[in-house]
Amino acid sequence: MPRNAILRRQRFLGGALGMLVLGVALTYHFFPQWFHVTPGQTPQRAMNLGGVAPAGNLPPQRVAAINELNAGPPLTLAPTAVIVARNRMNATLPEQKSAESPEVKELLARAIKAFHAGQLAGDPDSAAALFMQALKEQPDSRRAVQGLFDVRARLVAEIDQDIAVGDVDAAADLLDTLRTLPNAEQEVAQLEESLKTLATVRPMLSRAAAMLQQGKADQPKGDNALELYHQVQQLDPQNAVAEQGIFQVQRAVLDRALAAVAQNDFADADKQLARAQAIRPGSQQMHDVQQRIDDMRRQRASGVLAQARLALDGGNLELATRLVAQARSTDPDLPELAQVDEQLTNARLYASYKPGQVFTDRYVDLPGKAPAMVVVPTGSFLMGAAADDEDRTDAQLPQHRVTLAKGFAMARTEVSVGEFREFVRASGYVPDSVKLGGASVYDERSGALRDDASASWQDDYAGRKADDNLPVVNISWNDAVAYAKWLSERTGKQYRLPSEAEFEYALRGDTSSRYWWGNATPDKTVENLTGSGDRSRSGRRWSNAFRGYRDGYWGPAPVMSFAANPFGLYDMDGNVSEWVADCWHDNYIRAPDDGSAWINPGCRAHVLRGGSWGSSPAQVTSAYRQGADGDVRSGRVGFRVVREL
């Protein structure tokens, strides 16, 4: 804490300093002449701290001009009041040692009045003559010096403006007046040089203006207004007429861009916009027209794209493709293009479905619907086994690339007993298991398949009555083809058995491993396979199985009991093996590479693909295939269908 003596000393010094400041302020207020300031003329400074401005005698327009010193257009195009106010900062004012006499004050008042009336110089009653007379009476008159400087600055400003707009005659008349003023030699010399330049560029400006009228704004090369205006600017960089002319040239080019848009020629519009941008980069009119054209471009492209959607909905793929291309050429950045492109691709490859989409066709002539279908994406893959695969067979060679260029839909599951029953009831078809008698079913006592003359498609793998949700077995190739044909008739769509290539492609699900889940025993339940942990009713186990695997079934499981493969298809490599459309061939030599079925008219043997509930691990690989006579019926064989898109 400070001591009391120190506090008293601080209070005394503070009070004394305050009294001193108050005394100076009162003296300044009542005796301003002591500070060389005339009463009523309190000095004021512009915002840029330039020279002193006698505000008491300034008219409102001069005060406004001072407030505009640091704003507005280029100096040569600014109002003369602003120019004069700015130039006055350069005046060197004398130190006024005495107050002005009444006679000097009267002269100054008349001079200021003449100045504001525009009577700058040239006669005894002009502002210049009166200011010089006041200086003669009182050489240290600050107002007289400043006034004479203002006259000279006003004349210089007006001459500059006349030169800027190309008015040679007016500039020459004012220059003659400026020559009569003292201390104007430097300004006169500079302005005379500017007038010489104006005399040179004036014909060029006239010719450029005529070219603009003739439509030669920026073309042809070597004979256009823009090049002339640039030549003028090289001679006179501050020439306002040339600057305005270049503005008009850009306007003409922008008008061409708008005209091109009116003709729906956006390519030419872009070309004209590029030219306009090169003339005056970033100008406001450039920005405005660019925005306007962009809006029109987007609106036009959106309209064309809407027509493309209508054509797509109407099934006119060719027209939709042309319209999408037109929309893209109009506005390649239109956000909706990606969505319509996808729709167009889906329409071309997938009949407007999407890869992975699940759909169901309803019957057109009776209640009911076809099996649920999954859209399989297009693509290519290596079909068969690699030459160095230890589990390969000759039937799986040579490995070859197959490309499926068009999408198709495959049944999500094997055809179930319930679905096949609906077909038999509605069509009156007699399956081969009934017509030819029996099928091969599993014998629990021997652990092998045996022929059973009483077994039919209505039975399960062991000859017992089958539930409707089990995959139908004991089906011949002919039965499967008959079911697909019936679906086509009932739905009006094209159903068939898959080709062998389609089946392997769909089974793999875009994988290249031994199985769609990997190269070894699955680490989770994925399919109905032969697992070492599975047991039959009597406790039998598999002698050749996936070690450590258990799915809980001995025989087929209800459809969709396990995981789907990457394409969303169930039971592709387990549960039951499936018929495909192809005839059996001992190898892939000369096999089709486009995914189509390899068929020889009249062939009896056909291909079975995919593992079953009783297949060994080697028989479950994605490349495994086997052949069988078309009338074979087995408790290990079923089928699924494909629907063309």
Side-chain angles (χ1 to χ4, degrees):
M1 296 289 292
R3 292 179 299 175
N4 292 336
I6 296 175
L7 288 174
R8 286 195 298 270
R9 188 178 299 114
Q10 289 176 343
R11 289 171 182 162
F12 173 79
L13 292 175
L17 181 59
M19 291 297 294
L20 179 61
V21 172
L22 178 61
V24 172
L26 291 173
T27 303
Y28 182 89
H29 179 75
F30 291 104
F31 305 97
Q33 61 272 23
W34 292 6
F35 294 85
H36 300 288
V37 176
T38 303
Q41 297 180 350
T42 304
Q44 297 180 356
R45 285 189 177 273
M47 291 181 65
N48 63 356
L49 300 181
V52 175
N57 291 319
L58 286 179
Q61 59 266 33
R62 174 60 62 82
V63 176
I66 293 174
N67 292 333
E68 298 176 24
L69 287 182
N70 296 314
L75 188 60
T76 55
L77 295 180
T80 53
V82 174
I83 299 172
V84 172
R86 183 173 293 177
N87 286 339
R88 72 179 290 117
M89 304 309 169
N90 299 321
T92 302
L93 302 180
E95 180 181 355
Q96 187 169 325
K97 298 181 179 180
S98 61
E100 296 162 345
S101 66
E103 293 79 7
V104 170
K105 289 182 179 179
E106 192 271 336
L107 286 171
L108 291 174
R110 289 172 57 198
I112 291 173
K113 183 177 180 181
F115 181 85
H116 293 307
Q119 297 174 312
L120 300 180
D123 60 73
D125 293 325
S126 66
L130 293 170
F131 280 130
M132 284 190 289
Q133 189 175 349
L135 278 175
K136 186 176 180 181
E137 296 290 336
Q138 184 175 343
D140 65 348
S141 172
R142 293 167 63 89
R143 288 201 296 162
V145 172
Q146 183 67 66
L148 196 58
F149 184 88
D150 286 350
V151 170
R152 192 167 71 247
R154 172 68 69 85
L155 285 171
V156 170
E158 292 185 357
I159 295 170
D160 275 337
Q161 286 190 325
D162 288 338
I163 292 174
V165 298
D167 192 342
V168 176
D169 296 335
D173 290 342
L174 291 176
L175 187 58
D176 289 340
T177 302
L178 181 62
R179 289 191 182 97
T180 66
L181 300 183
N183 303 320
E185 294 81 4
Q186 184 177 356
E187 289 93 338
V188 168
Q190 292 174 348
L191 293 171
E192 284 178 339
E193 189 65 31
S194 297
L195 271 176
K196 289 180 182 178
T197 301
L198 179 58
T200 302
V201 303
R202 194 175 183 183
M204 300 167 65
L205 293 171
S206 177
R207 184 182 170 200
M211 287 180 173
L212 264 178
Q213 293 293 327
Q214 298 166 7
K216 297 180 178 181
D218 62 331
Q219 297 292 330
K221 187 175 181 180
D223 186 24
N224 62 72
L226 180 61
E227 293 180 8
L228 269 179
Y229 284 131
H230 282 157
Q231 292 174 21
V232 169
Q233 287 187 325
Q234 290 177 355
L235 297 172
D236 184 8
Q238 303 300 322
N239 192 283
V241 177
E243 178 65 22
Q244 183 64 24
I246 291 174
F247 177 90
Q248 295 297 332
V249 169
Q250 187 184 53
R251 178 74 261 176
V253 177
L254 291 173
D255 286 343
R256 293 205 304 262
L258 291 171
V261 170
Q263 298 296 320
N264 203 28
D265 189 351
F266 285 92
D268 187 52
D270 289 337
K271 182 179 178 181
Q272 301 303 330
L273 285 173
R275 288 181 176 176
Q277 175 68 10
I279 293 171
R280 294 179 73 242
S283 70
Q284 185 60 46
Q285 68 172 353
M286 175 73 201
H287 173 78
D288 293 343
V289 173
Q290 177 78 64
Q291 186 63 49
R292 183 178 172 188
I293 290 179
D294 286 346
D295 291 343
M296 296 169 69
R297 183 197 311 276
R298 183 138 302 182
Q299 183 179 4
R300 191 72 55 84
S302 296
V304 174
L305 208 57
Q307 297 177 32
R309 286 194 179 98
L310 290 175
L312 206 53
D313 293 341
N316 194 335
L317 190 59
E318 181 180 355
L319 177 59
T321 302
R322 290 202 307 269
L323 290 172
V324 168
Q326 183 180 339
R328 175 169 282 104
S329 66
T330 301
D331 184 4
D333 298 323
L334 190 66
E336 297 87 346
L337 272 172
Q339 180 183 6
V340 179
D341 280 340
E342 182 181 1
Q343 293 174 343
L344 198 61
T345 299
N346 291 342
R348 185 169 58 249
L349 300 179
Y350 310 109
S352 296
Y353 293 104
K354 297 179 181 179
Q357 182 176 348
V358 179
F359 68 90
T360 304
D361 290 325
R362 293 196 171 273
Y363 301 148
V364 297
D365 56 351
L366 60 113
K369 58 185 179 180
M373 309 299 292
V374 178
V375 178
V376 178
T378 58
S380 65
F381 74 109
L382 287 175
M383 186 174 181
D388 58 355
D389 188 338
E390 60 182 18
D391 290 329
R392 73 187 184 284
T393 65
D394 291 342
Q396 300 167 23
L397 300 174
Q399 191 178 52
H400 58 290
R401 181 162 293 279
V402 174
T403 299
L404 294 96
K406 192 174 189 311
F408 61 93
M410 178 174 279
R412 187 162 53 167
T413 70
E414 300 121 338
V415 175
S416 69
V417 173
E419 289 168 335
F420 199 80
R421 191 188 314 280
E422 180 185 40
F423 154 61
V424 172
R425 287 175 178 172
S427 66
Y429 177 80
V430 180
D432 282 350
S433 60
V434 176
K435 182 168 57 178
L436 301 179
S440 295
V441 297
Y442 178 73
D443 181 18
E444 179 69 28
R445 288 175 299 177
S446 65
L449 294 178
R450 63 176 176 81
D451 291 338
D452 185 343
S454 63
S456 76
W457 62 271
Q458 299 187 71
D459 298 324
D460 67 4
Y461 77 107
R464 299 181 297 267
K465 185 70 173 178
D467 294 333
D468 280 355
N469 62 351
L470 286 171
V472 66
V473 293
N474 304 324
I475 291 294
S476 70
W477 184 86
N478 300 314
D479 295 337
V481 170
Y483 176 79
K485 181 179 179 182
W486 177 79
L487 282 182
S488 299
E489 294 170 351
R490 297 289 71 77
T491 62
K493 307 299 182 181
Q494 186 61 44
Y495 283 83
R496 56 175 173 80
L497 291 183
S499 71
E500 185 178 3
E502 288 172 338
F503 194 97
E504 182 173 334
Y505 175 69
L507 184 155
R508 289 181 179 275
D510 204 26
T511 68
S512 57
S513 50
R514 285 170 55 82
Y515 315 102
W516 64 258
W517 60 81
N519 290 310
T521 300
D523 55 8
K524 59 183 178 180
T525 305
V526 292
E527 294 265 19
N528 181 7
L529 307 171
T530 54
S532 63
D534 291 328
R535 299 291 184 269
S536 71
R537 289 188 175 187
S538 63
R540 286 185 176 277
R541 65 180 62 189
W542 301 109
S543 59
N544 187 5
F546 287 96
R547 184 175 297 277
Y549 186 79
R550 181 179 184 275
D551 55 51
Y553 286 92
W554 191 280
V559 297
M560 291 182 67
S561 295
F562 300 95
N565 80 345
F567 282 169
L569 299 165
Y570 292 84
D571 305 316
M572 288 293 292
D573 208 11
N575 227 24
V576 296
S577 297
E578 303 176 29
W579 289 112
V580 296
D582 301 60
C583 295
W584 172 255
H585 295 86
D586 292 336
N587 52 55
Y588 285 134
I589 296 174
R590 294 188 298 276
D593 61 3
D594 60 357
S596 60
W598 192 5
I599 296 177
N600 304 106
C603 71
R604 291 184 54 82
H606 292 273
V607 180
L608 288 167
R609 292 302 303 252
S612 76
W613 57 270
S615 299
S616 67
Q619 295 172 327
V620 183
T621 62
S622 297
Y624 184 77
R625 59 195 294 262
Q626 58 182 317
D629 194 85
D631 61 6
V632 163
R633 288 89 63 197
S634 170
R636 291 174 56 178
V637 176
F639 75 103
R640 75 179 71 211
V641 292
V642 156
R643 201 266 242 181
E644 295 182 358
L645 300 175

